[in-house]
Amino acid sequence: MTGRPAEFPEGRLSVRGRLAHDKASRSAAGQDFGRVVRQEPWAVFRPESAEDVSALVRFAAAQRRAVAPRGRGHSTFGQAQAADGIVLDLSGLRAVHEVGPDFMDVDAGASWRSVVLATVPRGLTPPVLTDYLGLSVGGTLSVGGVGGATHRHGMQTDNVLRLDVVTGDGVARTCSAHTESTLFHAVLGGLGQCGVITRARLRLVPAPARVRRYKLYYATPRRLTADQRRLLASDRFPYLEGQLKPDASGWRPRLEAAAFFSPPELPLDESLLDDLGHERGSEEIEDLSYVDFVDRLTCSEADLRATGEWFHPHPWWNAFLPGSTVDDLVEEVAARVTPDDIGAGGALLLYPFTRRRLTTPIVRTPDDPVVFLFAILRTAPPDQPTAVEEIIRLNRALYEQVRAAGGTRYPVGTVPFDRADWVRHFGTAWPSLHEAKERYDPHHVLTPGQGIF
Ligand SMILES: Cc1cc2nc3c(=O)[nH]c(=O)nc-3n(C[C@H](O)[C@H](O)[C@H](O)COP(=O)(O)OP(=O)(O)OC[C@H]3O[C@@H](n4cnc5c(N)ncnc54)[C@H](O)[C@@H]3O)c2cc1C
């Protein structure tokens, strides 16, 4: 390490006493939700302001020490870790600053749950929420952020008006699609490579009063995707997802959709479901408040924590598939990964999107008018590293299969990737990302866990 502290004296002085080197802090920051990779950092830093972030990054750049921003640590493959570096734990930087008529300003370490709780009482909501709200704003804006409304509104990164960012040289900058747009486009979905997001201005839309949630079951995955396409084309539901759940007979394909309404008006079930090809009589329909609907995974989290499964290894796999090849790919994967392999709590997610809604330049998605998120959510037995290694090998093989069929990786999961993979992954976006990296993080200190630079 070739430290040149004189280059950044200010930052060096202001953070030294605030680095946590204790075992408990380093151990927690050396772990993530995946429990597959464990790399303890040299220190943990918990900023209380963007100025703190700036000082820390200056200090780290002077020391040539890696810095990994960490939102909530829900990565599954060490993406927010920094072996022998500094983990910048943003969980304390979580204030909601302002909720305006159609926007909000929020710190990057805030969870999406706190965003919902600050906006819904004012009749507003972000247009796109992830299924699980315990993720941080900065964490999902660094990867994309997809959910049941992505088919209408794109990813969470497509709904950002402005960002405050500390770049790898420790400079605090504000950027948007109109000001410092190069930085804006390098940071949104940019996997933490060029800057640490400290605050975001998010677009808001009116929140619905009530939600009617539909679960419909299908005989085959092809019938499920046929209806998903039909619903995409008709834009009938504001929320649309799907999954294959394990049951005694194998995979059970399920479509999930939601209609928003304000009583006394009610959704007309018959006209919404009439032309669909699900198994008649299989419908599960329930009415919920909007908050209960968007925060529906809280109960599952509590259950999984109680059984201990939440703390098992999660070698998850995520990809975007072209609509033209999705059916064959899903069949092949469903044959290779059996319900027994992933267990009762696991699922294969299948979410359909209209590609023209996906506008974040650096988030790579297949060149097809219809794109599907396809994910394998599974746990591996604890204390059986060979089982995890085998799953990781399979994940890599599945990724190659998907790539050959025109798919791309959603880089939040557990797939080994080297530099050549990343260059191929970013494709035409690689030169601009590379240029932005050299400009904004010239010492390559930011976010080593992604393994890109
Ligand atoms: C239970 C669960 C449910 C999920 N559901 C969804 C879902 O519905 N939709 C979806 O799209 N994804 C989902 N994901 C994946 C999730 O979006 C990503 O893993 C996300 O990055 C996790 O957010 P986090 O705050 O925990 O980020 P972390 O794991 O802390 O960080 C993720 C990456 O972003 C970087 N980073 C974090 N904060 C910042 C910042 N402020 N500035 C710059 N870089 C930063 C980190 O260094 C790291 O490389 C889910 C994951 C889990 C475990």
Side-chain angles (χ1 to χ4, degrees), residues 96-178:
V96 171
H97 294 276
E98 185 181 353
V99 179
D102 54 6
F103 72 89
M104 76 181 299
D105 289 332
V106 61
D107 283 344
S111 70
W112 286 97
R113 182 172 298 112
S114 58
V115 166
V116 164
L117 295 178
T119 54
V120 174
R122 294 170 160 90
L124 296 165
T125 178
V128 183
L129 290 164
T130 47
D131 296 331
Y132 173 62
L133 299 183
L135 311 168
S136 77
V137 169
T140 68
L141 294 187
S142 299
V143 297
V146 301
T150 293
H151 69 295
R152 252 192 202 177
H153 297 288
M155 298 190 189
Q156 290 178 320
T157 48
D158 296 311
N159 293 281
V160 178
L161 303 172
R162 197 171 76 193
L163 292 174
D164 287 351
V165 172
V166 171
T167 45
D169 50 8
V171 177
R173 306 168 198 256
T174 297
C175 58
S176 70
H178 311 291

Side-chain angles (χ1 to χ4, degrees), residues 138-144 157 163 183-195 197 360-363 411 422 426 433 437 446-447 450 452-453:
T140 68
L141 294 187
S142 299
V143 297
T157 48
L163 292 174
L183 179 62
F184 189 66
H185 294 308
V187 168
L188 281 178
L191 307 177
Q193 295 308 300
C194 296
I197 302 168
T360 309
I362 220 168
V363 177
W422 282 116
F426 285 111
L433 178 63
K437 180 75 173 175
L446 290 180
T447 319
Q450 298 282 2
I452 302 175
F453 290 99

Side-chain angles (χ1 to χ4, degrees), residues 336-361:
R336 283 179 84 170
V337 182
T338 67
D340 280 347
D341 290 335
I342 70 159
L348 307 186
L349 305 184
L350 205 47
Y351 298 0
F353 312 133
T354 310
R355 186 171 189 235
R356 70 188 152 81
R357 304 276 184 218
L358 312 178
T359 60
T360 309

